[in-house]
Amino acid sequence: MYRTNTCGELRLADKGKKVTLAGWVQKSRKLGGMTFIDLRDRYGVTQLVVEADAPAALVETATSLGREFVIQVTGEVVERESKNAKMPTGEIEIRLAGITILNKSVTPPFTIEEESDGGEDLRAKYRYLDLRRPPLQRALALRHRLAQEIRTYLDGEGFMEIETPYLIKSTPEGARDFVVPSRMNPGQFYALPQSPQTFKQLLMVAGYDRYFQIVRCFRDEDLRADRQPEFTQIDCEMSFVEQDDVLGMFEGMMRSMFKNALGVDIPNPLPRMSWYDAMDNYGSDKPDVRFGMTIHEITAQAHGHGFSVFDSCPYVGAIAVPGAAEYTRKQLDELTEWVKRPQVGAKGLVYVKVNPDGTYKSSVDKFFAEADLAAIAAACEAAPGDLLLVLCGEKRKTQTMLGVLRIYMGGRLGLRDPKVFAPLWIVDFPLLEWSEEDQRFYAMHHPFTAPKPEHEAWFYSDKKEDLERVCANAYDFVLNGTELGGGSIRIHDAAMQSRMFEVLGISKEDAEYKFGFIINAFKFGAPPHGGLAFGFDRVCALFGGQETIRDYIAFPKNNMGRDVMIDSPSFIDQSQLDELQLDIRQPEA
Ligand code: ASP
C-alpha cells in the first residue's frame, strides 16, 4: 500500500497512529539537529520530523531530499509542540521511522506554494508544476464541483447529455472558424464548432426534447484576458417551451449551483431587465447591478445655453458619483484623460460639482447659471456631495462610454465586491443590428433566433425602421457586469427561417449551401424549441471571485493563442502537407 492517508487528512484525534504517506517535498529545514519536511499532495500539507537521535541512515536520507522529490514515509502521528493554526494539519506532525525516495526532481524553476515567485510566462511553460499550487488546485476543484452540480440538476430535470461532432461545417455564431483540412477529401475543410447550435436544434427535430452537453467550442478571435480560442459551454436546448420555461429552468440550475457550491442564496425569481433599459440606465447590455450610479439623460437641460459642444450633440448624459464633489483639479484632469483613452473614446469630460453647501461648480460655468446646474443635478437625482460626470454625442455610443466610466468609478469607490453576487436576465434584445459600413442587417444573437411573436408583422415588413424595432425572443444571463450565458427561442418554421436569411441579405443559394440541412430538417415536423448556453469557464471564474478564466482551465493558451508548454501551434512536415495536398506560402513579414 503506497499510503494509508493523504497529506491533508490527519488531525490530533489520530495521535499515536502508525501511518504511511506519499507526496512531494515542498521544503525541508534543519533545526537543532532535527529535520522538518513539508510533504504535499493535492489534499494538503503535513509536517514530517526526523529526530536528532534517529538512525544515521534515516537522518542522511532526510538531509538529502530536494524540493519536489517524491517520497513515501512511514511514522507515527504525534502532537506538535508549536502548533500552526493556519494549517488544517497544524496540530500534528509525523515522527518518521522510514523514508523511501520514489523519484528525484531537478530544482523546480519557481516556488510551488500558495504564492509563487515565478512570472506568468515561466509558470505557463511549466503548467504541470503550477498546477501543484493550492490556488490552482482550488480553482480546478471548484470547476469539478460545479460540473457535478450541473449534471445532477439537469439529470434530475430529465435532460440527456448527448455528444455532438467536432468536425463539422461553419456554425452561425458570427466569429471566425478554425478549419481542419480533410485528407480524404482534398481541398475540402471541416470547421470546428463555434457552438453545437445547429446540432442541438436537429436533436430537437429528432425528438430529444431536453438536451445538454458540457462541451468544447472553438472561435478564432483576437484574444482578451477573458477569452480563449477553445472554451467550454454548458449547452442546452428544450422543446415545447416558451421563454419563461427556459428562464425558469436555468435560473433554477444557477440557484442550485450558488447554493450547493457557495452556500449563497440568489433571488427567486431573478430580476429581468429589457435591453433598452440596460442600455439607457447602465450603458451596457451586461449591467453590473451591484451598485447604482445609473445614467441619466440630461439632453433637455443641457441644450440651449449657448454651449455649442452640447448643442451639436443629439444626446447628453451623466452619472452622479457619490461623495466625489471634493475631487481636486488634478483628479478631474486625470479623469478627463482617462475618458479620452481609446478604450473609452470620449472627446472630453464636463463635470458639475454638487457642493455640500448647496452651491455648484462646473467646467461650463460660463454657459450655465446656478439654476441651470441645479436643474441638471435634479435630473440626475444628485445628492449634496455628488460629482456629475457628463458626456455627449450619439445616444448609444455616449451611453456606452458612460457605462464604461460608471464601471470604472464603481471600482474606484469599492462598489464591485467579488463576494457580492447580483445575477439578472437581460431580455427583449433587438433582433437585428444595422451595419452602416456594410449597409445590411446582422443578427444580434444568431440567425436561428425567433422574433417575439407580437413583432412578427414588422419582421415581414420591407421597411428598415420596422425591422429595426423587432425584438428578439432572446435572453442573456448576466452576473456582476459579465455575460455568463445567453440563448433564445428559435425559429422552427422553414419559411420563417428563409425569411431570416433574406433579411440578413444571405442569398437563397448561400443559405442553401451553408444551412440547407437545417432548413430541410424544419420541413419534417420541427417542434417549437429554445435553449441557451453558458460560458462554463467564466461561470467558474466568477464563482471563484476572479476576473480571468485562465486559472480555471487546466491547460490554457496565452494571449497569442499559444500553448507555450507544448509549444503549439507549430509547423508540420512536408509529407503531411503533401498528403493533404496543401502548399504553404511563405508567411508575410
Ligand atoms: N449557440 C449560442 C451561443 O453560443 C447559444 C444559444 O443560442 O444557445 O452563443
Side-chain angles (χ1 to χ4, degrees), residues 351-369:
Y351 70 82
V352 180
K353 287 180 171 181
V354 184
N355 291 322
D357 64 4
T359 63
Y360 297 89
K361 170 89 193 87
S362 97
S363 49
V364 289
D365 281 344
K366 243 204 288 178
F367 303 98
F368 290 83

Side-chain angles (χ1 to χ4, degrees), residues 157-420:
E157 294 289 343
F159 282 76
M160 279 169 71
E161 185 165 15
I162 304 175
E163 286 159 286
T164 51
Y166 281 166
L167 296 175
I168 64 164
K169 192 167 172 159
S170 192
T171 41
E173 318 298 340
R176 204 178 287 119
D177 287 322
F178 280 104
V179 294
V180 180
S182 164
R183 179 184 55 82
M184 289 190 282
N185 304 273
Q188 298 189 9
F189 293 79
Y190 302 101
L192 297 180
Q194 295 182 28
S195 84
Q197 185 63 36
T198 46
F199 286 95
K200 66 174 170 177
Q201 292 194 243
L202 292 172
L203 283 171
M204 295 304 112
V205 178
Y208 293 83
D209 62 349
R210 290 184 170 200
Y211 142 94
F212 87 101
Q213 188 180 188
I214 300 184
V215 63
R216 201 65 57 80
C217 302
F218 306 85
R219 297 184 191 177
D220 188 3
E221 296 178 295
D222 293 333
L223 303 177
R224 293 194 247 114
D226 60 343
R227 285 240 179 105
Q228 286 277 311
E230 50 178 309
F231 59 96
T232 304
Q233 281 191 347
I234 312 161
D235 191 48
C236 312
E237 197 77 7
M238 305 169 77
S239 292
F240 307 115
V241 285
E242 289 168 349
Q243 177 169 305
D244 273 347
D245 303 309
V246 179
L247 301 196
M249 178 63 71
F250 291 100
E251 62 176 76
M253 183 180 89
M254 277 292 168
R255 196 167 295 116
S256 81
M257 288 160 71
F258 269 107
K259 184 77 192 162
N260 298 336
L262 297 182
V264 167
D265 288 304
I266 58 170
N268 186 7
L270 286 186
R272 297 182 193 180
M273 188 186 291
S274 83
W275 179 87
Y276 294 90
D277 286 343
M279 291 306 297
D280 286 346
N281 299 322
Y282 296 89
S284 169
D285 57 4
K286 33 182 182 292
D288 186 343
V289 295
R290 280 174 297 184
F291 63 101
M293 217 195 287
T294 51
I295 297 169
H296 295 271
E297 173 163 13
I298 54 165
T299 315
Q301 291 79 7
H303 277 177
H305 294 273
F307 182 48
S308 64
V309 176
F310 283 170
D311 288 343
S312 64
C313 288
Y315 174 91
V316 187
I319 57 169
V321 184
E326 58 191 27
Y327 270 28
T328 61
R329 177 83 250 165
K330 185 158 170 267
Q331 283 174 302
L332 291 166
D333 287 346
E334 276 165 11
L335 264 186
T336 309
E337 285 314 308
W338 192 86
V339 299
K340 284 186 185 167
R341 294 163 9 134
Q343 295 94 316
V344 192
K347 291 213 180 69
L349 178 69
V350 167
Y351 70 82
V352 180
K353 287 180 171 181
V354 184
N355 291 322
D357 64 4
T359 63
Y360 297 89
K361 170 89 193 87
S362 97
S363 49
V364 289
D365 281 344
K366 243 204 288 178
F367 303 98
F368 290 83
E370 283 266 307
D372 304 328
L373 295 175
I376 289 177
C380 294
E381 294 168 31
D386 285 3
L387 173 71
L388 306 183
L389 299 175
V390 185
L391 296 178
C392 63
E394 193 267 318
K395 177 174 164 182
R396 291 288 181 226
K397 260 199 192 136
T398 309
Q399 286 174 338
T400 304
M401 290 176 195
L402 283 165
V404 176
L405 182 59
R406 172 182 174 272
I407 291 293
Y408 176 65
M409 294 312 293
R412 265 174 81 145
L413 298 184
L415 301 173
R416 307 190 68 209
D417 180 353
K419 296 261 159 12
V420 175

Side-chain angles (χ1 to χ4, degrees), residues 47-213:
Q47 178 163 295
L48 316 175
V49 58
V50 176
E51 305 283 358
D53 58 1
L58 182 57
V59 174
E60 196 180 313
T61 311
T63 319
S64 75
L65 298 175
R67 276 164 56 204
E68 301 309 312
F69 275 35
V70 187
I71 60 172
Q72 181 189 41
V73 298
T74 52
E76 185 186 333
V77 182
V78 297
E79 187 168 355
R80 270 210 223 179
E81 248 170 53
S82 56
K83 301 197 168 52
N84 182 346
K86 287 202 199 107
M87 284 172 78
T89 61
E91 292 191 310
I92 56 110
E93 59 195 4
I94 314 296
R95 188 188 295 142
L96 293 194
I99 302 178
T100 309
I101 296 177
L102 299 174
N103 212 342
K104 292 184 177 178
S105 169
V106 296
T107 308
F110 47 83
T111 51
I112 300 173
E113 293 178 25
E114 183 73 31
E115 302 280 346
S116 175
D117 60 356
E120 206 172 309
D121 293 344
L122 194 63
R123 283 186 289 116
K125 182 159 183 223
Y126 297 93
R127 182 71 173 176
Y128 48 89
L129 295 181
D130 208 17
L131 285 171
R132 289 183 188 166
R133 293 172 52 230
L136 282 127
Q137 292 169 342
R138 285 195 296 271
L140 292 189
L142 176 64
R143 186 182 176 108
H144 166 75
R145 171 92 345 267
L146 291 172
Q148 297 310 309
E149 284 303 330
I150 291 160
R151 289 203 163 94
T152 305
Y153 177 88
L154 292 176
D155 179 56
E157 294 289 343
F159 282 76
M160 279 169 71
E161 185 165 15
I162 304 175
E163 286 159 286
T164 51
Y166 281 166
L167 296 175
I168 64 164
K169 192 167 172 159
S170 192
T171 41
E173 318 298 340
R176 204 178 287 119
D177 287 322
F178 280 104
V179 294
V180 180
S182 164
R183 179 184 55 82
M184 289 190 282
N185 304 273
Q188 298 189 9
F189 293 79
Y190 302 101
L192 297 180
Q194 295 182 28
S195 84
Q197 185 63 36
T198 46
F199 286 95
K200 66 174 170 177
Q201 292 194 243
L202 292 172
L203 283 171
M204 295 304 112
V205 178
Y208 293 83
D209 62 349
R210 290 184 170 200
Y211 142 94
F212 87 101
Q213 188 180 188

